[in-house]
Structure formats: structure tokens, C-alpha cells
Amino acid sequence: LADEYGGEVRIDVPGGVEVRADPVILDRMFRNLVENGLEHDGDDAPSVEVRLAEIDPETGRATFEVRDEGPGIPDHELAVLETGEETALEHGSGLGLWLIEWGVASLGGEIRFEIREGGTTAVLELPDASERA
């Protein structure tokens, strides 16, 4: 993906970290987030960082962050995700965010988007192997 958009993808996940989940769903979720970040960056050299923020020792949930430097996800796109429905007046511009939302939910996880000046961070909380076993 980085070559396609002329950008950089940095991955900061220690070796040995495992999340038991459908690998196709995991791949699609992370691929969509990275692609969105690179595509909407607007910079000549877009960049996205994927990192493991923490593994909660009590719950076993792994928290990943996918951070980009783009303009942020428009409020109306996030509002549609929060309400869970689209109307003629309020709707998203594509399926990418819905696929991510559905993918995370199907794995028993949660996602939230933190919009800040200079980018968006998607925070994914996914159950680890002990919760999925």
C-alpha cells in the first residue's frame, strides 16, 4: 500500500504478540485503516503508523493504534457510525469505515476514532488469545 500511495507505513508491534481472530477480517480492517490514512493524507509523502499501545494484563485485551496525518474523518461520517444507520440526509461516503466497524465488532472488539489537528488515530481494542480460546 505504501508504494501505491508513495508513502510510508511504520509498524511498531513487538514480535510474539498474537491476537486469535479470523486473519481475513484482521487483514481487511488494518488494510482499510492504512489505505484510508495514506489516501486522504494530502501530503506528497503520506505516512501511517500502526502500533501496539498496550495489552491489558487484567482483561487480556490488546489495544492497537493506527495513526495518520490526514485532515481527519468528517463529523458526518463518524455520526453515521455512532448511530448505526444511514438516512437520505446523513450517510457515509463509502463502505470502508463500515467494514472496519463490522470487522471489529465481529471479533468481539471495539473501535473509536480520535480526531486531532494533523490527523486521526483509530484505536482498536481486540480480545487476545485467552478471550478467544
Side-chain angles (χ1 to χ4, degrees):
L1 288 174
D3 291 339
E4 183 178 335
Y5 291 95
E8 175 185 19
V9 178
R10 295 180 308 280
I11 299 175
D12 183 11
V13 179
V17 173
E18 294 183 11
V19 175
R20 288 196 190 167
D22 184 311
V24 173
I25 294 173
L26 273 179
D27 178 68
R28 296 278 191 257
M29 287 179 347
F30 281 102
R31 183 176 295 272
N32 257 309
L33 287 167
V34 169
E35 185 174 8
N36 282 343
L38 292 171
E39 180 179 358
H40 299 291
D41 186 297
D43 194 292
D44 289 340
S47 66
V48 174
E49 178 184 13
V50 179
R51 75 180 200 93
L52 175 68
E54 74 170 324
I55 296 179
D56 187 314
E58 290 183 27
T59 65
R61 291 177 77 81
T63 302
F64 293 90
E65 295 178 347
V66 180
R67 183 179 306 235
D68 68 47
E69 298 172 0
I73 301 170
D75 289 340
H76 72 275
E77 297 271 351
L78 293 176
V80 167
L81 290 176
E82 289 172 10
T83 62
E85 64 181 48
E86 294 189 6
T87 67
L89 296 177
E90 291 193 26
H91 55 84
S93 61
L95 287 177
L97 291 176
W98 280 113
L99 292 174
I100 296 163
E101 182 87 14
W102 294 331
V104 171
S106 75
L107 298 176
E110 297 177 17
I111 187 167
R112 70 181 182 279
F113 296 94
E114 298 173 354
I115 312 300
R116 66 192 189 299
E117 188 172 320
T120 300
T121 301
V123 181
L124 296 92
E125 293 183 14
L126 302 172
D128 77 350
S130 64
E131 286 189 301
R132 301 292 298 171

